[in-house]
């Protein structure tokens, strides 16, 4: 009987020692502890996993897209008068937009907003997106009034760069050069 009690207490002592040793062991350190990922990056197993458009050990480097796609153009303002007189003799101007890269026309709105009012915003949604294949180049967006009886009337335009290497990736580009016409471009980025 003494042997059985001794064995029982020995087993209890060994189990208690094992439990105490196991409970004193440190857990494996978190591999992401102290790792800072920027620009929406997340730490995975000690390294940053970067979202599209960013690279580098901490996702600190903004990557230039291969192209920018315009899915809509909103005309938010235009001049009410053409040098002091109405754009059209009997009603409002019939407005449309063009986009150019240098002297090359890359898109012309195939329809127009007839009898436009300066108090209304007009949104043009092209049937397929307009691709700006050189995001770092300077583009020009222009607004015209269509007239049957004379040449198209230029209402105003804005020179712009669609991409900034420090500006992130906004989904709306606001274009306002203080010249009487303003636009909002809805864009997406392709890498």
């Amino acid at each position: 009987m003494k042997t059985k009690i001794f064995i029982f207490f020995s087993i209890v002592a060994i189990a208690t020692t094992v439990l105490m040793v196991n409970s004193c062991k440190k857990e494996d350190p978190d591999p992401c502890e102290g790792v800072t990922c920027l620009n929406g990056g997340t730490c995975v197993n000690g390294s940053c996993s970067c979202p599209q458009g960013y690279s580098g050990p901490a996702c600190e480097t903004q990557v230039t897209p291969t192209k920018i796609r315009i899915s809509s153009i909103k005309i938010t303002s235009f001049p009410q008068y053409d040098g002091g007189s109405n754009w059209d003799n009997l009603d409002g101007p019939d407005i449309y937009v063009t986009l150019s890269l240098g002297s090359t026309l890359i898109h012309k709105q195939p329809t127009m907003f007839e009898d436009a009012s300066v108090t209304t915003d007009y949104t043009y949604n092209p049937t397929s997106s307009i691709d700006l294949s050189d995001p770092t180049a300077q583009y020009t967006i222009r607004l015209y009034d269509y007239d049957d009886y004379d040449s198209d009337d230029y209402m105003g335009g804005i020179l712009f760069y669609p991409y900034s290497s420090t500006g992130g990736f906004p989904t709306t580009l606001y274009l306002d050069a203080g010249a009487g016409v303003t636009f909002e471009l809805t864009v997406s980025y392709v890498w």
Side-chain angles (χ1 to χ4, degrees), residues 38-129:
L38 306 172
N39 297 309
T42 55
C43 183
V44 177
N45 294 324
S47 297
C48 291
S49 175
C50 302
Q52 269 194 329
Y54 294 96
S55 67
C59 306
E60 74 280 3
T61 304
Q62 187 172 307
V63 177
T64 302
T66 56
K67 67 175 91 172
I68 295 177
R69 290 194 164 129
I70 300 173
S71 57
S72 77
I73 299 171
K74 183 188 287 186
I75 304 158
T76 54
S77 70
F78 57 89
Q80 183 170 359
Y81 299 106
D82 179 13
S85 26
N86 290 332
W87 289 101
D88 290 350
N89 289 334
L90 303 174
D91 50 26
D94 304 322
I95 60 174
Y96 68 94
V97 174
T98 67
L99 273 165
S100 300
L101 174 57
S103 60
T104 304
L105 180 68
I106 60 172
H107 187 82
K108 179 179 178 181
Q109 182 179 342
T111 59
M112 64 188 97
F113 298 105
E114 293 186 26
D115 302 329
S117 167
V118 295
T119 62
T120 304
D121 292 346
Y122 296 91
T123 302
Y124 165 53
N125 297 305
T127 53
S128 60
S129 64

Side-chain angles (χ1 to χ4, degrees), residues 165-184:
S165 63
T166 58
F169 303 100
T171 55
T172 303
L173 302 180
Y174 300 94
L175 305 178
D176 181 355
V181 293
T182 58
F183 304 93
E184 292 178 14

